[in-house]
Coordinates of all heavy atoms in Angstrom, one line a residue:
H1 N 57.8 -161.7 25.0 CA 56.7 -161.2 24.1 C 56.9 -159.8 23.7 O 56.6 -159.4 22.6 CB 55.3 -161.3 24.9 CG 54.2 -161.2 24.0 ND1 53.7 -160.0 23.7 CD2 53.3 -162.0 23.5 CE1 52.5 -159.9 22.9 NE2 52.3 -161.3 22.8
W2 N 57.3 -158.9 24.6 CA 57.5 -157.5 24.3 C 58.7 -157.5 23.2 O 58.7 -156.6 22.3 CB 57.9 -156.8 25.5 CG 58.3 -155.4 25.3 CD1 57.5 -154.3 24.9 CD2 59.7 -154.7 25.4 NE1 58.1 -153.2 24.8 CE2 59.4 -153.4 25.1 CE3 60.8 -155.2 25.8 CZ2 60.6 -152.5 25.1 CZ3 61.9 -154.3 25.8 CH2 61.7 -153.0 25.4
R3 N 59.6 -158.3 23.3 CA 60.7 -158.4 22.3 C 60.4 -159.1 21.0 O 61.1 -159.1 20.0 CB 62.1 -159.1 22.9 CG 62.6 -158.3 24.2 CD 63.3 -157.1 23.7 NE 64.3 -157.2 22.9 CZ 65.5 -157.6 23.1 NH1 65.9 -157.7 24.5 NH2 66.5 -157.7 22.2
G4 N 59.1 -159.7 21.0 CA 58.6 -160.3 19.8 C 59.3 -161.8 19.6 O 59.3 -162.3 18.5
R5 N 59.8 -162.4 20.7 CA 60.5 -163.8 20.5 C 59.8 -164.8 21.4 O 60.3 -165.9 21.4 CB 62.0 -163.6 21.0 CG 62.7 -162.5 20.4 CD 64.3 -162.8 20.4 NE 64.7 -163.3 21.6 CZ 65.3 -162.5 22.5 NH1 65.5 -161.2 22.3 NH2 65.7 -163.0 23.7
L6 N 58.6 -164.4 22.0 CA 58.1 -165.4 22.9 C 57.7 -166.8 22.1 O 58.0 -167.9 22.5 CB 56.9 -164.9 23.5 CG 56.0 -166.0 24.4 CD1 56.7 -166.5 25.5 CD2 54.6 -165.2 24.8
F7 N 57.0 -166.6 21.0 CA 56.5 -167.9 20.4 C 57.5 -168.5 19.6 O 57.1 -169.6 18.9 CB 55.2 -167.5 19.5 CG 54.2 -166.8 20.4 CD1 53.8 -165.6 20.1 CD2 53.5 -167.7 21.3 CE1 52.7 -165.0 21.0 CE2 52.5 -167.2 22.1 CZ 52.1 -165.8 21.9
E8 N 58.7 -168.1 19.5 CA 59.8 -168.8 18.9 C 60.7 -169.4 20.0 O 61.6 -170.2 19.6 CB 60.6 -167.9 18.1 CG 60.1 -167.5 16.8 CD 59.0 -166.4 17.0 OE1 59.2 -165.6 17.8 OE2 57.9 -166.6 16.3
T9 N 60.5 -169.2 21.2 CA 61.2 -169.7 22.3 C 60.5 -171.1 22.8 O 59.7 -171.1 23.7 CB 61.3 -168.8 23.6 OG1 61.7 -167.5 23.0 CG2 62.3 -169.2 24.6
R10 N 60.8 -172.1 22.1 CA 60.0 -173.3 22.3 C 60.2 -174.0 23.7 O 59.3 -174.5 24.3 CB 60.4 -174.4 21.2 CG 60.0 -173.9 19.8 CD 60.4 -175.0 18.8 NE 59.7 -176.1 19.0 CZ 58.5 -176.5 18.5 NH1 57.9 -175.5 17.8 NH2 58.0 -177.7 18.6
W11 N 61.4 -173.9 24.2 CA 61.7 -174.4 25.6 C 60.7 -173.8 26.6 O 60.2 -174.6 27.5 CB 63.1 -174.4 25.8 CG 63.6 -173.0 26.4 CD1 64.2 -172.2 25.5 CD2 63.5 -172.4 27.6 NE1 64.4 -170.9 26.1 CE2 64.0 -171.0 27.5 CE3 62.9 -172.7 28.8 CZ2 64.1 -170.1 28.4 CZ3 63.0 -171.8 29.9 CH2 63.5 -170.6 29.8
L12 N 60.5 -172.5 26.5 CA 59.6 -171.9 27.6 C 58.2 -172.3 27.3 O 57.4 -172.4 28.3 CB 59.8 -170.3 27.4 CG 59.1 -169.5 28.5 CD1 59.5 -169.9 29.8 CD2 59.3 -168.0 28.2
L13 N 57.7 -172.4 26.1 CA 56.5 -172.9 25.8 C 56.1 -174.2 26.3 O 55.1 -174.5 26.9 CB 56.1 -172.8 24.3 CG 56.2 -171.4 23.6 CD1 55.9 -171.6 22.1 CD2 55.1 -170.5 24.2
W14 N 57.2 -175.1 26.2 CA 57.0 -176.5 26.8 C 57.0 -176.3 28.3 O 56.2 -177.2 28.9 CB 58.2 -177.3 26.4 CG 58.1 -178.0 25.1 CD1 58.8 -177.8 23.9 CD2 57.0 -178.8 24.7 NE1 58.4 -178.5 22.9 CE2 57.2 -179.2 23.3 CE3 55.9 -179.5 25.3 CZ2 56.4 -180.1 22.6 CZ3 55.2 -180.3 24.6 CH2 55.5 -180.7 23.3
V15 N 57.6 -175.5 28.9 CA 57.5 -175.2 30.4 C 56.1 -174.9 30.7 O 55.6 -175.5 31.7 CB 58.6 -174.1 30.9 CG1 58.2 -173.8 32.3 CG2 60.0 -174.6 30.7
F16 N 55.5 -173.9 29.9 CA 54.1 -173.5 30.2 C 53.1 -174.7 30.1 O 52.2 -174.8 30.8 CB 53.7 -172.4 29.4 CG 54.2 -171.1 30.0 CD1 55.2 -170.3 29.5 CD2 53.4 -170.5 31.1 CE1 55.6 -169.1 30.1 CE2 53.9 -169.3 31.6 CZ 55.0 -168.6 31.1
V17 N 53.4 -175.5 29.1 CA 52.6 -176.7 28.8 C 52.5 -177.6 30.0 O 51.4 -178.0 30.6 CB 53.0 -177.5 27.6 CG1 52.3 -178.8 27.5 CG2 52.8 -176.7 26.4
W18 N 53.7 -177.9 30.6 CA 53.8 -178.9 31.7 C 53.6 -178.2 33.1 O 53.7 -179.0 34.1 CB 55.1 -179.5 31.6 CG 55.1 -180.6 30.5 CD1 55.9 -180.3 29.3 CD2 54.5 -181.7 30.3 NE1 55.7 -181.3 28.4 CE2 54.8 -182.2 29.0 CE3 53.5 -182.4 31.1 CZ2 54.3 -183.5 28.5 CZ3 53.0 -183.6 30.6 CH2 53.3 -184.1 29.3
A19 N 53.6 -176.8 33.2 CA 53.5 -176.2 34.4 C 52.1 -176.2 35.0 O 51.9 -175.7 36.1 CB 54.0 -174.7 34.3
V20 N 51.1 -176.6 34.2 CA 49.7 -176.3 34.6 C 49.4 -177.1 35.9 O 48.5 -176.4 36.7 CB 48.8 -176.8 33.5 CG1 48.8 -178.4 33.3 CG2 47.4 -176.4 33.8
P21 N 50.0 -178.1 36.4 CA 49.7 -178.7 37.7 C 50.1 -177.8 38.8 O 49.6 -177.8 40.0 CB 50.4 -180.1 37.7 CG 50.8 -180.3 36.4 CD 50.9 -179.0 35.7
L22 N 51.1 -177.0 38.6 CA 51.8 -176.2 39.7 C 50.8 -175.2 40.4 O 50.8 -175.2 41.6 CB 53.1 -175.4 39.1 CG 54.1 -176.4 38.7 CD1 55.3 -175.6 38.2 CD2 54.5 -177.4 39.7
P23 N 50.0 -174.4 39.6 CA 49.1 -173.6 40.4 C 48.0 -174.3 41.1 O 47.4 -173.8 42.1 CB 48.5 -172.7 39.2 CG 48.9 -173.3 38.0 CD 50.0 -174.1 38.2
Y24 N 47.7 -175.5 40.6 CA 46.7 -176.3 41.3 C 47.4 -176.7 42.6 O 46.6 -176.6 43.7 CB 46.3 -177.5 40.5 CG 45.4 -177.3 39.5 CD1 45.7 -177.1 38.2 CD2 44.0 -177.4 39.8 CE1 44.8 -177.0 37.1 CE2 43.0 -177.2 38.7 CZ 43.4 -177.0 37.4 OH 42.5 -176.8 36.5
I25 N 48.6 -177.1 42.6 CA 49.3 -177.5 43.9 C 49.4 -176.4 44.9 O 49.2 -176.5 46.0 CB 50.7 -178.1 43.5 CG1 50.5 -179.5 42.8 CG2 51.4 -178.2 44.8 CD1 51.8 -179.9 42.3
A26 N 49.7 -175.2 44.2 CA 49.8 -174.0 45.0 C 48.5 -173.7 45.8 O 48.5 -173.4 46.9 CB 50.3 -172.9 44.3
N27 N 47.4 -173.7 45.1 CA 46.1 -173.4 45.6 C 45.8 -174.5 46.8 O 45.3 -174.2 47.9 CB 45.0 -173.5 44.7 CG 44.9 -172.1 44.0 OD1 44.1 -171.2 44.3 ND2 45.6 -171.9 42.9
Q28 N 46.1 -175.7 46.6 CA 45.8 -176.7 47.5 C 46.7 -176.6 48.8 O 46.1 -176.7 49.9 CB 46.1 -178.2 46.8 CG 45.2 -178.5 45.7 CD 43.7 -178.9 46.2 OE1 43.5 -179.3 47.3 NE2 42.8 -179.0 45.3
V29 N 48.0 -176.4 48.6 CA 48.8 -176.4 49.8 C 48.6 -175.0 50.5 O 48.8 -174.9 51.8 CB 50.3 -176.4 49.4 CG1 50.7 -177.9 48.9 CG2 50.7 -175.3 48.4
G30 N 48.0 -174.0 49.8 CA 47.7 -172.8 50.6 C 46.6 -173.1 51.5 O 46.6 -172.6 52.7
W31 N 45.6 -173.7 51.1 CA 44.5 -174.1 52.0 C 44.9 -175.1 53.0 O 44.5 -175.0 54.1 CB 43.3 -174.7 51.1 CG 42.5 -173.6 50.4 CD1 42.5 -173.2 49.3 CD2 41.5 -172.9 51.3 NE1 41.5 -172.2 49.2 CE2 40.9 -172.0 50.4 CE3 41.1 -172.8 52.5 CZ2 39.8 -171.1 50.7 CZ3 40.1 -171.9 53.1 CH2 39.5 -171.1 52.0
I32 N 45.9 -176.0 52.7 CA 46.4 -176.9 53.8 C 46.9 -176.1 54.9 O 46.7 -176.4 56.1 CB 47.3 -177.9 53.2 CG1 46.6 -178.9 52.3 CG2 48.0 -178.7 54.2 CD1 47.5 -179.8 51.5
A33 N 47.8 -175.1 54.5 CA 48.5 -174.3 55.6 C 47.5 -173.5 56.4 O 47.6 -173.4 57.7 CB 49.4 -173.2 54.8
A34 N 46.3 -173.0 55.8 CA 45.4 -172.3 56.5 C 44.6 -173.1 57.3 O 44.2 -172.8 58.5 CB 44.4 -171.5 55.4
E35 N 44.2 -174.4 56.9 CA 43.2 -175.1 57.6 C 44.0 -176.0 58.7 O 43.4 -176.1 59.8 CB 42.4 -176.0 56.6 CG 41.5 -175.2 55.7 CD 40.6 -174.3 56.4 OE1 39.8 -174.7 57.3 OE2 40.7 -173.1 56.1
V36 N 45.1 -176.6 58.3 CA 45.8 -177.3 59.3 C 46.4 -176.4 60.4 O 46.5 -176.7 61.5 CB 47.0 -178.1 58.6 CG1 47.9 -178.9 59.7 CG2 46.4 -179.2 57.7
G37 N 46.8 -175.2 60.0 CA 47.3 -174.2 60.9 C 46.3 -173.7 61.9 O 46.6 -173.2 62.9
R38 N 44.9 -174.0 61.6 CA 44.0 -173.6 62.6 C 43.7 -174.6 63.7 O 43.2 -174.4 64.7 CB 42.7 -173.4 61.7 CG 41.4 -173.1 62.7 CD 40.2 -173.1 61.8 NE 39.9 -174.3 61.0 CZ 38.8 -174.4 60.2 NH1 37.9 -173.5 60.3 NH2 38.7 -175.4 59.5
Q39 N 44.2 -175.9 63.4 CA 44.0 -176.9 64.4 C 44.7 -176.5 65.8 O 45.7 -175.8 65.8 CB 44.6 -178.3 63.8 CG 43.8 -178.7 62.5 CD 42.3 -178.8 62.7 OE1 41.9 -179.2 63.8 NE2 41.6 -178.3 61.7
P40 N 44.2 -177.1 66.9 CA 43.2 -178.1 67.0 C 41.7 -177.5 67.0 O 40.9 -178.2 67.6 CB 43.6 -178.7 68.4 CG 44.0 -177.5 69.1 CD 44.8 -176.7 68.2
W41 N 41.5 -176.4 66.4 CA 40.2 -175.8 66.5 C 39.5 -175.9 65.2 O 40.1 -175.6 64.1 CB 40.3 -174.2 66.8 CG 41.2 -174.0 68.1 CD1 42.4 -173.6 68.2 CD2 40.6 -174.0 69.5 NE1 42.7 -173.5 69.6 CE2 41.7 -173.7 70.3 CE3 39.4 -174.4 70.1 CZ2 41.6 -173.8 71.8 CZ3 39.3 -174.3 71.4 CH2 40.4 -174.0 72.2
V42 N 38.1 -176.2 65.3 CA 37.3 -176.0 64.1 C 36.6 -174.6 64.0 O 36.5 -174.0 62.9 CB 36.3 -177.2 64.0 CG1 35.3 -177.0 65.2 CG2 35.6 -177.2 62.7
V43 N 36.4 -174.1 65.2 CA 36.2 -172.6 65.2 C 37.2 -172.1 66.2 O 37.1 -172.5 67.4 CB 34.7 -172.4 65.8 CG1 34.3 -170.9 65.9 CG2 33.6 -173.1 64.8
Y44 N 38.0 -171.2 65.8 CA 39.2 -170.9 66.5 C 39.0 -170.3 67.8 O 38.2 -169.3 68.0 CB 40.0 -169.8 65.7 CG 41.4 -169.7 66.1 CD1 42.3 -170.6 65.8 CD2 41.8 -168.5 66.8 CE1 43.6 -170.4 66.2 CE2 43.1 -168.3 67.2 CZ 44.1 -169.3 66.9 OH 45.3 -169.2 67.4
G45 N 39.4 -171.0 68.9 CA 39.4 -170.6 70.2 C 38.1 -170.9 70.9 O 37.9 -170.7 72.0
L46 N 37.0 -171.5 70.1 CA 35.7 -171.8 70.7 C 35.4 -173.3 70.6 O 34.9 -173.8 71.6 CB 34.7 -171.1 69.9 CG 34.7 -169.4 70.0 CD1 33.7 -168.8 69.0 CD2 34.5 -169.1 71.4
L47 N 35.6 -174.0 69.5 CA 35.1 -175.3 69.4 C 36.3 -176.2 68.9 O 36.8 -175.8 67.8 CB 34.0 -175.4 68.5 CG 33.3 -176.8 68.3 CD1 32.8 -177.6 69.5 CD2 32.3 -176.8 67.2

């Protein structure tokens, strides 16, 4: 974009079109790591 060539770089624009599921996946697996990593506790160290 700084070089003024972003919107002519069609392959990269297609990457952004199809990349939209990836941040959804990243948010989901981040929570999986946090919540599964807490097990076997639902309240850590107490319950």
Side-chain angles (χ1 to χ4, degrees):
H1 189 281
W2 179 68
R3 297 291 300 273
R5 304 206 314 262
L6 172 61
F7 298 113
E8 287 73 45
T9 311
R10 294 180 64 85
W11 71 266
L12 183 58
L13 294 177
W14 278 116
V15 169
F16 277 103
V17 169
W18 293 106
V20 67
L22 299 181
Y24 281 96
I25 294 172
N27 276 268
Q28 295 284 343
V29 296
W31 275 103
I32 290 172
E35 298 306 302
V36 175
R38 177 181 52 174
Q39 300 303 317
W41 306 98
V42 67
V43 180
Y44 195 75
L46 295 175
L47 180 65

